[in-house]
């Protein structure tokens, strides 16, 4: 049975596709030629647009179809009851490719996958990790392991889906107590308990909900750079058709080419997403009106999308700032 997704999923995967094509092209001069792709929440291969029912390529399919040149080693991670089916379908569709699916919790299985790659003396190879959890499953210890996998000057590049909004669902502002299991889960995401300072500021209303989200995002980016050694982190926000923030795409790299390429891709996405959002809203409204027997000859001007300015940048990289609760550097 196929899964249905919103326009933002298509937009996210468009960015992934464009970057992977650039990633393999940029790294193809490495000798011997090896490129590694890691997908920690690979999902399923049958995905549809929830409005148009058009097929959407999964992240796994996008990575496997990347050419000029292709990835040489592809490692996927999925829960026990889906892993075998995923591996069978990927191997059947792509005979001869070095594809492996690890079953179970990716935070545990990544240890085995990286050890296997180390055993093949591949720690020098350009490596990209796509980390797209449904909730708070991606742990800081896993990000650290990925960052430490490669030898040499460049780290594994990370493309992490990060949702401060998820914290808001778990962190009560009034009326109920924070559950120990939720508290432990957030500790595992950040690898540090300092996020409680943000939460306490939200409780005493010195931070708004939006400001708290931005502080959580800044803390994650700050730790990726200062604790894991990434030189650049890029965040881009995705919203649903109602304009509600869903999550941020965070890209982390130590390579100047990665920094430059993703800056341009995020700028393109920031131009395109508002129009994609408007088109999705228009289609939803049209479907609702048609179900009620209402037909319109022409769309409203407000539904025609957002005009682009070729001279204006829609995305500009700004580094994270040192969180106020960490004090000044000694």
């Amino acid at each position: 049975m196929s899964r249905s997704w919103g326009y933002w999923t298509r937009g996210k995967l468009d960015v992934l596709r464009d970057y992977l094509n650039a990633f393999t092209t940029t790294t193809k001069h490495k000798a011997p030629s090896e490129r590694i792709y890691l997908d920690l929440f690979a999902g399923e291969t049958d995905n549809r647009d929830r409005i148009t029912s058009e097929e959407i390529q999964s992240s796994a399919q996008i990575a496997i179809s990347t050419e000029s040149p292709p990835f040489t080693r592809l490692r996927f991670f999925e829960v026990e009851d889906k892993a075998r089916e995923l591996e069978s379908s990927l191997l059947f569709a792509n005979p001869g490719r070095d594809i492996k699916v690890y079953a179970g919790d990716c935070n545990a299985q990544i240890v085995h996958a990286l050890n296997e790659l180390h055993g093949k003396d591949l720690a020098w190879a350009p490596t990209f990790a796509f980390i797209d959890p449904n909730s708070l499953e991606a742990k800081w210890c896993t990000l650290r392991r990925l960052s430490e996998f490669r030898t040499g000057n460049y780290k594994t590049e990370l493309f992490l889906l990060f949702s401060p909004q998820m914290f808001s669902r778990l962190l009560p502002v009034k009326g109920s107590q924070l559950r120990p299991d939720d508290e432990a889960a957030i500790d595992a995401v950040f690898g540090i308990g300092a996020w409680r300072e943000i939460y306490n500021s939200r409780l005493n209303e010195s931070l708004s909900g939006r400001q708290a989200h931005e502080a959580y995002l800044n803390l994650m980016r700050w730790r990726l750079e200062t604790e894991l050694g990434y030189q650049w982190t890029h965040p881009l926000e995705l919203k649903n058709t109602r304009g509600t923030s869903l999550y941020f795409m965070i890209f982390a790299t130590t390579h100047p080419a990665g920094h430059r390429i993703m800056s341009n891709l995020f700028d393109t996405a920031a131009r395109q997403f508002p129009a994609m959002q408007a088109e999705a809203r228009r289609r939803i409204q049209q479907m609702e009106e048609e179900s009620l027997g209402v037909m319109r000859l022409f769309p409203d001007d407000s539904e025609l999308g957002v005009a682009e300015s070729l001279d204006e940048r829609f995305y500009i990289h700004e580094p994270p700032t040192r969180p106020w609760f960490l004090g000044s550097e000694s």
Side-chain angles (χ1 to χ4, degrees):
M1 183 176 180
S2 64
R3 297 189 66 181
S4 61
W5 302 98
Y7 85 90
W8 52 89
T9 297
R10 186 184 295 276
K12 167 189 69 182
L13 293 173
D14 285 345
V15 173
L16 177 67
R17 179 184 296 104
D18 290 342
Y19 188 79
L20 292 185
N21 284 322
F23 179 89
T24 60
T25 299
T26 302
T27 59
K28 67 182 178 181
H29 300 298
K30 291 282 185 181
S33 184
E34 292 276 3
R35 289 156 301 279
I36 300 170
Y37 176 82
L38 306 169
D39 196 325
L40 274 65
F41 301 89
E44 303 173 17
T45 57
D46 188 2
N47 300 279
R48 301 280 168 177
D49 186 299
R50 67 178 50 165
I51 299 175
T52 66
S53 295
E54 295 175 350
E55 182 179 0
I56 298 177
Q57 268 195 320
S58 68
S59 56
Q61 292 167 321
I62 288 171
I64 291 171
S65 63
T66 300
E67 298 177 345
S68 301
F71 283 97
T72 55
R73 319 269 178 164
L74 299 110
R75 301 293 182 262
F76 304 97
F77 303 79
E78 192 46 74
V79 295
E80 293 277 358
D81 59 341
K82 296 181 180 180
R84 180 175 295 181
E85 180 182 353
L86 176 63
E87 184 172 70
S88 296
S89 64
L90 294 178
L91 289 172
F92 179 78
N94 304 277
R97 298 294 298 274
D98 187 344
I99 293 170
K100 185 172 181 178
V101 179
Y102 290 82
D105 181 356
C106 68
N107 296 287
Q109 294 302 320
I110 192 66
V111 177
H112 304 301
L114 296 182
N115 284 342
E116 177 197 76
L117 294 169
H118 270 294
K120 297 179 182 292
D121 294 325
L122 291 172
W124 60 268
T127 304
F128 181 94
F130 183 52
I131 309 159
D132 185 5
N134 290 322
S135 182
L136 304 181
E137 299 94 343
K139 297 181 180 180
W140 180 260
C141 61
T142 296
L143 302 183
R144 180 178 292 281
R145 290 183 179 112
L146 291 169
S147 75
E148 294 173 347
F149 166 67
R150 290 196 63 192
T151 57
N153 296 326
Y154 302 120
K155 293 181 175 292
T156 299
E157 291 194 333
L158 306 180
F159 194 21
L160 167 67
L161 278 293
F162 178 75
S163 177
Q165 296 74 9
M166 189 63 63
F167 304 145
S168 296
R169 298 175 192 173
L170 300 178
L171 298 172
V173 176
K174 57 182 67 175
S176 59
Q177 295 295 315
L178 175 59
R179 299 189 307 173
D181 287 351
D182 293 336
E183 191 172 9
I186 299 174
D187 279 344
V189 169
F190 284 107
I192 191 174
W195 60 269
R196 290 174 178 81
E197 297 294 334
I198 303 171
Y199 178 46
N200 290 335
S201 295
R202 180 74 182 106
L203 288 176
N204 65 31
E205 298 184 343
S206 59
L207 288 181
S208 67
R210 177 64 186 183
Q211 289 171 329
H213 290 173
E214 291 172 351
Y216 291 128
L217 172 66
N218 182 73
L219 176 60
M220 175 57 73
R221 293 181 62 208
W222 177 262
R223 285 184 52 72
L224 287 170
E225 294 190 14
T226 60
E227 295 297 321
L228 299 189
Y230 285 95
Q231 189 167 353
W232 297 281
T233 57
H234 289 263
L236 187 65
E237 187 174 25
L238 287 96
K239 300 179 180 180
N240 63 19
T241 52
R242 299 183 299 277
T244 301
S245 181
L246 294 171
Y247 50 76
F248 289 84
M249 301 186 291
I250 301 179
F251 172 70
T253 187
T254 52
H255 202 297
H259 167 59
R260 173 180 51 80
I261 292 167
M262 193 59 87
S263 292
N264 291 331
L265 290 179
F266 273 11
D267 183 63
T268 299
R271 293 171 183 270
Q272 295 175 344
F273 283 177
M276 294 173 67
Q277 182 190 55
E279 174 63 12
R281 280 200 304 264
R282 185 192 68 79
R283 287 178 176 268
I284 291 172
Q285 183 176 2
Q286 183 181 27
M287 292 168 63
E288 291 174 347
E289 291 176 346
E290 288 177 353
S291 69
L292 297 173
V294 178
M295 301 296 291
R296 276 197 274 173
L297 294 177
F298 304 102
D300 294 338
D301 291 341
S302 61
E303 297 172 340
L304 295 179
V306 179
E308 293 188 5
S309 170
L310 297 180
D311 297 328
E312 179 185 358
R313 282 195 69 86
F314 284 58
Y315 172 81
I316 299 175
H317 171 262
E318 294 182 358
T321 59
R322 184 177 182 84
W324 78 88
F325 45 82
L326 295 183
S328 59
E329 294 183 274
S330 57

